[in-house]
Amino acid sequence: MIASIGSRLGQAVLVMLAVTAIAFVMFRYVGDPVAMMSREDASPAEKAELRASLGLDRPAIVQYGEFLGRTLKGDLGISFRNQRPVVDLLAERLPATLELVIVATILSLAVGIPVGVYCALKPDGALTRAIQTISLVGISMPTFVTGIGLILIFAVTLRWLPSFGRGDVVQIGGWSTGFLTRSGWASLLLPSITLALYQLTLIMRLVRAEMIDVLSSDYIRFAKARGLPPRYINFRLALRNALMPVVTVTGLQIGSLIAFAIVTETVFQWPGMGLLFIQAVSFADVPVMAAYLLFVGFLFVVINMIVDLTYTLIDPRLRTRRA
Amino acid sequence: MKRGLMALAGALAILMTQSAGAQTLRWSAPGDAVSFDPNAQLDSFTQNIQLMVYDTLVRRNRKLEIEPGLATSWQIVEPTRWRFKLRPGVKFHDGEPFTADDIVTTVMRTIDPDSRNKGNLATVVKAEKVDDLTVDIVLSGPYPLLLNDLTGIFVMSKSWLEKNNAMKPGNTSTGVTTFASTHANGTGPFKLESYAPDSKTVMTANEGWWDKPEHNLKRIEFRPIKSDATRVAALLSGEIDMISSVPLQDVARVTGTQGFKVVEDPSLRLIFLGFNWKPELYADPGKKNPLLDVKVRQALWHAVDLEAIQKRIMRGKSRNTGTMVAPPVPGYVADIDKPLAYDPALSKKLLTEAGYPNGFKTGLSCTNDRYIADEQLCLAIAGMWTKAGIQVDVKTESKATYFPRQDRGELDVWMLGWATLPQMDGFSVLSGIFASRKDGYGGSNAGGMTIPALDELARKTAVELDEGKRRALMGEAFRIAKDQALFIPLHQQPLAWAMRSNVDMPQFPDEYVRPWFAKVN
């Protein structure tokens, strides 16, 4: 167990090295922060001086080396745009993104699994057909269209929910939470639905397909022949086995949710890391972009690790095999 | 005694009506203040936000003319020494009195080698205290635009900076971030209450402001919204009272909704096309650069149908121009502000005379995320030139990659917008665009254009202290640019803000939001 975690961590370091190395090669094509940071009528000498003082006149490989050195010391540099330590900026934005992603994930599981089970148990029902059709729309609709649509309906026309922002947040230590206020929850609703929609339909379809598969397998037929109650068969025996791939997909999707959150956060002006990243890109704010990519790479690796560990909880066979 | 009581009652009544009429303004814009440190950035929107908290020695009034601010009067003691009399009885938001020491600190912090906006006071050598309410600003040479520069220098408090260990300006290169980047202590009309980047910035009216407020605001809540559609939705849903910059396609929708209005004016930002002046074009290497011929440049100008662009792309909101500077800016000459007429036949004739009866090949490059409808503009002009028989290699890209390319002079025909800010003076066009790249001039003249007459005019204007003569010099430069078709000016960008009908917010062509002139009824 410990050895497996250790090798995982080794992989994590490799992944993050690869991500940041690719990022530093790409930064040359994202643009030049000097143009963004200069006065409209700055002289060429002024710009050259700024470029040199930011260290941007050196080869990418040298800049990357320096970035790694600083990162190892725990220093992610200072944002070109905000002139504040990148660590502070990320720490400020992390709670917003994580709360959004957590709620979206819970939402997609809480709705996706029951609906998927229903569709598998009643494959020919009219409701099933309707759900299947709607889910197709949900899976193919671009996030920003969903977001703007929800804003137009629930904020502009009905005026029930706010169209943007996080509402009032409560500061607990270094963590700002929107979970403790009414406006915080109201603000969370539309963005989390927007973010959850794709994953929700994915989970629903996955659960349905897996359930249908499992329900037609031999041990379920034997269980039925034994006269076990349908509830027990469907939920204790079938669903449990159908959930294995769901855990994998959910885990991996949490990573992409954080990535997808860039669009959702932009549409809803959600002050999370995605919005920070988008603004960093348009300003060619290299320290923030590098730190964000590093962080997301780290997150993906950690999530993968947790997914692997969760398998053992759901599937007892894996437990004995490892032990 | 009785009269005293009456006066007191009157004063009370005024106070009460004021507080009863005091309102909250909730507004939004696509950008946000990147920092509250005046010396740590050069972002014009950030400076706009800071101007609500900080005062300046001289300031712009409703007509954008320069008027006394924290300085009540000034005189030029010697050509390189300006003496400012300071306003007595002014207090910073933390209650400390404002004195000459604060001006000295502000100026020295601005011209600090690590200051990001030191270029905004490029000619200033130092500031010297004469007495508590008199200060001298010493220049490196005669310079007519010191007052213009000072409208953008925000006066900070010496004692506050010292107390919070923020005397050195914040700077990415030196790794300095200060208390002043997230807090502010000015003498301005509003006090900064809280600042949450990309989320919410709250200000409250400064009851102790030295000037008589023309606004009736008690509180300002600024909520930046980057997405255009969401920003408009937030206005229409009643969460926001005013948004600066409404996308052109949404103007009709907002105007058509009851309870909302759109205010529109031409902005100072003027969009124009510039040329490559090198011996060869990038699009057609090995051949002589056709753009070096004035007839070719005029032919290109005659081939642009500005009226069609104004009507179709800019939805009738822009103002077409024939000169390189907008009317409110010193140096503007009205009689040359007429574009060359759209005349395909004449264009063809000029091309033939120049020796290009079958046209030539050129590149045309624009941003796609910096100016209003920049990409469509570029594509439309490319289409018009193609009709005139010119092979156009059109390319649009993000500002983050376009401006470095433009700056290195790697483009044939390029688009640029220029607002002459923060000086708001034609000199910025002469020094930045007209003059060739030498001795700090020609910062945006990347195409390699060298016109000796313009170089000379720029240098003369720089030191001419007589305002009439100075404007005449600038007028001459703009006339040369027009006669030689050195650039193709297109239009002044439209500026559109949307607000609830009960909000009265005057609009300014420099695109600054000035809530100290705002009323919420």
Side-chain angles (χ1 to χ4, degrees):
Chain A
M1 188 77 171
I2 290 168
S4 109
I5 289 180
S7 78
R8 285 272 162 189
L9 284 178
Q11 288 170 19
V13 172
L14 282 181
V15 166
M16 276 148 60
L17 275 177
V19 167
T20 48
I22 294 169
F24 262 80
V25 174
M26 280 169 57
F27 288 157
R28 328 190 98 211
Y29 304 100
V30 173
D32 181 4
V34 171
M36 303 293 185
M37 293 169 74
S38 300
R39 286 182 308 138
E40 198 173 65
D41 51 356
S43 68
E46 260 176 74
K47 287 185 194 165
E49 187 202 318
L50 176 61
R51 189 181 309 281
S53 77
L54 293 174
L56 293 170
D57 53 342
R58 295 167 306 163
I61 182 87
V62 177
Q63 292 182 40
Y64 180 54
E66 207 202 33
F67 166 77
L68 286 184
R70 272 193 291 113
T71 307
L72 285 178
K73 281 186 259 161
D75 174 13
L76 290 173
I78 289 181
S79 153
F80 291 167
R81 178 170 172 262
N82 295 90
Q83 314 264 330
R84 293 178 56 208
V86 174
V87 177
D88 290 2
L89 290 175
L90 285 179
E92 261 173 34
R93 308 306 181 92
L94 184 65
T97 298
L98 282 191
E99 288 191 354
L100 179 63
V101 168
I102 288 168
V103 172
T105 306
I106 293 174
L107 198 67
S108 57
L109 290 175
V111 179
I113 294 176
V115 174
V117 170
Y118 176 86
C119 289
L121 294 179
K122 295 215 163 57
D124 296 321
L127 188 59
T128 300
R129 293 231 181 89
I131 291 170
Q132 290 282 73
T133 316
I134 294 169
S135 78
L136 257 187
V137 178
I139 216 159
S140 54
M141 189 105 87
T143 312
F144 68 91
V145 175
T146 322
I148 294 292
L150 289 175
I151 289 176
L152 286 181
I153 297 169
F154 292 100
V156 177
T157 310
L158 298 173
R159 296 201 174 194
W160 288 350
L161 295 168
S163 56
F164 72 101
R166 251 190 118 185
D168 296 321
V169 291
V170 177
Q171 201 74 29
I172 304 173
W175 189 275
S176 66
T177 180
F179 288 161
L180 298 177
T181 61
R182 208 187 143 84
S183 71
W185 277 105
S187 306
L188 198 52
L189 226 48
L190 294 184
S192 55
I193 291 174
T194 308
L195 189 59
L197 211 57
Y198 179 83
Q199 203 193 7
L200 193 157
T201 43
L202 194 71
I203 288 177
M204 189 208 95
R205 294 181 147 249
L206 198 64
V207 168
R208 174 180 162 273
E210 286 292 325
M211 274 294 273
I212 288 176
D213 208 32
V214 173
L215 284 175
S216 64
S217 60
D218 288 344
Y219 76 98
I220 297 291
R221 252 181 273 156
F222 287 132
K224 280 185 184 157
R226 267 181 69 191
L228 291 173
R231 260 186 92 84
Y232 184 81
I233 296 175
N234 290 340
F235 293 97
R236 284 305 291 272
L237 298 178
L239 181 61
R240 200 164 166 164
N241 277 289
L243 278 186
M244 281 295 289
V246 175
V247 171
T248 317
V249 168
T250 308
L252 295 179
Q253 282 285 312
I254 286 180
S256 17
L257 274 188
I258 290 173
F260 268 127
I262 292 180
V263 179
T264 309
E265 287 183 4
T266 311
V267 170
F268 289 95
Q269 189 69 25
W270 190 262
M273 291 191 304
L275 192 62
L276 183 72
F277 180 68
I278 274 289
Q279 271 159 348
V281 169
S282 59
F283 198 86
D285 192 343
V286 172
V288 172
M289 289 192 286
Y292 176 84
L293 293 173
L294 188 74
F295 180 76
V296 170
F298 172 75
L299 216 59
F300 265 85
V301 175
V302 168
I303 288 168
N304 267 314
M305 202 152 73
I306 296 175
V307 167
D308 279 0
L309 296 178
T310 323
Y311 280 170
T312 53
L313 294 181
I314 296 185
D315 190 338
R317 284 170 303 179
L318 289 176
R319 242 176 289 173
T320 47
R321 214 176 289 163
R322 283 230 178 112
Chain B
M1 181 67 200
K2 202 170 184 188
R3 188 179 281 173
L5 267 178
M6 290 279 279
L8 190 69
L12 267 177
I14 289 169
L15 260 175
M16 278 166 70
T17 48
Q18 262 180 357
S19 58
Q23 299 288 342
T24 299
L25 174 76
R26 302 163 304 167
W27 70 290
S28 181
D32 194 2
V34 297
S35 165
F36 265 90
D37 189 335
N39 305 121
Q41 42 66 41
L42 283 162
D43 178 61
S44 68
F45 186 75
T46 299
Q47 285 161 12
N48 181 180
I49 299 273
Q50 291 177 355
L51 193 51
M52 299 170 192
V53 182
Y54 285 106
D55 277 321
T56 49
L57 274 178
V58 289
R59 61 177 189 179
R60 303 255 176 208
N61 64 12
R62 273 182 190 261
K63 290 183 200 144
L64 295 187
E65 297 155 345
I66 293 175
E67 66 170 21
L70 288 179
T72 49
S73 66
W74 51 88
Q75 66 181 113
I76 304 176
V77 191
E78 298 163 32
T80 57
R81 182 178 285 268
W82 293 50
R83 179 157 296 170
F84 292 85
K85 283 276 172 211
L86 304 182
R87 194 174 293 279
V90 176
K91 282 196 161 46
F92 282 97
H93 295 159
D94 65 358
E96 293 293 320
F98 156 73
T99 68
D101 288 324
D102 300 311
I103 297 295
V104 173
T105 301
T106 298
V107 169
M108 297 318 277
R109 195 177 192 267
T110 306
I111 62 177
D112 187 287
D114 289 332
S115 154
R116 291 282 305 110
N117 70 334
K118 58 174 184 278
N120 287 350
L121 277 185
T123 52
V124 172
V125 180
K126 60 179 168 182
E128 287 175 352
K129 176 180 175 176
V130 179
D131 61 47
D132 264 359
L133 290 177
T134 314
V135 71
D136 280 358
I137 293 184
V138 183
L139 307 173
S140 57
Y143 178 62
L145 292 175
L146 179 63
L147 293 182
N148 299 53
D149 288 348
L150 288 176
T151 59
I153 303 301
F154 304 133
V155 177
M156 305 179 82
S157 154
K158 184 185 180 198
S159 60
W160 182 77
L161 287 172
E162 279 173 347
K163 198 168 64 195
N164 294 299
N165 193 22
M167 287 298 274
K168 281 296 252 182
N171 187 307
T172 309
S173 314
T174 57
V176 173
T177 22
T178 68
F179 186 74
S181 58
T182 43
H183 299 78
N185 178 39
T187 59
F190 298 96
K191 296 181 187 180
L192 180 65
E193 185 182 293
S194 64
Y195 166 51
D198 294 332
S199 180
K200 193 179 192 177
T201 298
V202 180
M203 295 178 187
T204 52
N206 176 9
E207 305 290 345
W209 194 34
W210 56 269
D211 200 7
K212 188 173 169 292
E214 289 179 50
H215 65 83
N216 67 345
L217 305 178
K218 179 177 70 192
R219 189 179 159 86
I220 302 176
E221 286 181 21
F222 172 64
R223 318 272 319 258
I225 305 178
K226 188 178 164 63
S227 152
D228 284 340
T230 313
R231 193 164 61 253
V232 173
L235 175 77
L236 295 179
S237 70
E239 292 161 85
I240 292 287
D241 301 315
M242 181 221 142
I243 57 178
S244 66
S245 142
V246 194
L248 288 188
Q249 67 267 20
D250 287 325
V251 167
R253 181 157 146 247
V254 176
T255 323
T257 312
Q258 204 176 356
F260 296 94
K261 63 183 175 188
V262 173
V263 189
E264 289 173 288
D265 274 310
S267 134
L268 288 184
R269 192 167 296 280
L270 195 142
I271 310 295
F272 64 91
L273 300 178
F275 302 111
N276 178 357
W277 290 77
K278 302 201 174 86
E280 297 172 7
L281 288 182
Y282 293 100
D284 204 3
K287 289 192 197 141
K288 186 173 173 270
N289 178 357
L291 301 175
L292 296 176
D293 189 330
V294 59
K295 285 191 174 153
V296 172
R297 297 192 302 267
Q298 284 171 339
L300 288 177
W301 197 339
H302 280 298
V304 176
D305 188 352
L306 278 177
E307 269 174 48
I309 289 177
Q310 202 260 357
K311 245 180 239 141
R312 308 244 172 79
I313 298 177
M314 305 307 288
R315 300 180 194 233
K317 312 286 188 197
S318 60
R319 177 184 175 276
N320 290 343
T321 55
T323 183
M324 288 289 286
V325 74
V329 179
Y332 171 81
V333 183
D335 69 284
I336 54 170
D337 189 8
K338 198 169 177 298
L340 296 193
Y342 173 57
D343 189 342
L346 181 56
S347 174
K348 192 91 200 157
K349 187 168 158 267
L350 285 165
L351 279 179
T352 312
E353 282 173 22
Y356 300 97
N358 299 317
F360 57 93
K361 197 172 169 198
T362 179
L364 168 64
S365 300
C366 303
T367 48
N368 55 21
D369 55 2
R370 174 63 186 88
Y371 308 116
I372 297 175
D374 40 10
E375 186 167 32
Q376 288 121 287
L377 273 175
C378 215
L379 296 176
I381 291 168
M384 291 165 186
W385 285 353
T386 307
K387 259 202 274 175
I390 296 154
Q391 266 180 281
V392 187
D393 182 8
V394 61
K395 190 171 174 214
T396 67
E397 60 188 313
S398 160
K399 61 185 176 187
T401 52
Y402 173 87
F403 286 118
R405 220 187 289 284
Q406 194 267 341
D407 190 44
R408 289 193 297 267
E410 294 174 359
L411 308 171
D412 287 337
V413 182
W414 37 271
M415 179 187 280
L416 197 63
W418 202 262
T420 74
L421 295 174
Q423 289 183 330
M424 212 182 292
D425 191 273
F427 177 66
S428 101
V429 182
L430 268 68
S431 67
I433 305 174
F434 285 1
S436 54
R437 271 199 175 171
K438 212 165 46 179
D439 330 319
Y441 281 88
S444 291
N445 178 3
M449 181 180 85
T450 310
I451 311 283
L454 290 180
D455 279 345
E456 200 191 320
L457 283 168
R459 280 164 180 77
K460 273 191 192 165
T461 313
V463 294
E464 179 56 67
L465 292 174
D466 182 290
E467 186 59 15
K469 283 190 199 151
R470 207 177 65 84
R471 290 192 185 202
L473 289 171
M474 291 194 284
E476 208 182 318
F478 287 116
R479 207 173 288 277
I480 292 173
K482 172 87 187 269
D483 291 344
Q484 297 286 314
L486 300 178
F487 300 92
I488 302 180
L490 301 174
H491 56 236
Q492 281 173 260
Q493 277 198 161
L495 171 62
W497 295 350
M499 55 197 92
R500 294 159 84 104
S501 311
N502 63 343
V503 178
D504 183 15
M505 174 74 88
Q507 198 170 45
F508 299 89
D510 64 355
E511 305 191 18
Y512 267 43
V513 175
R514 293 182 165 83
W516 52 94
F517 292 131
K519 284 217 161 67
V520 176
N521 303 312

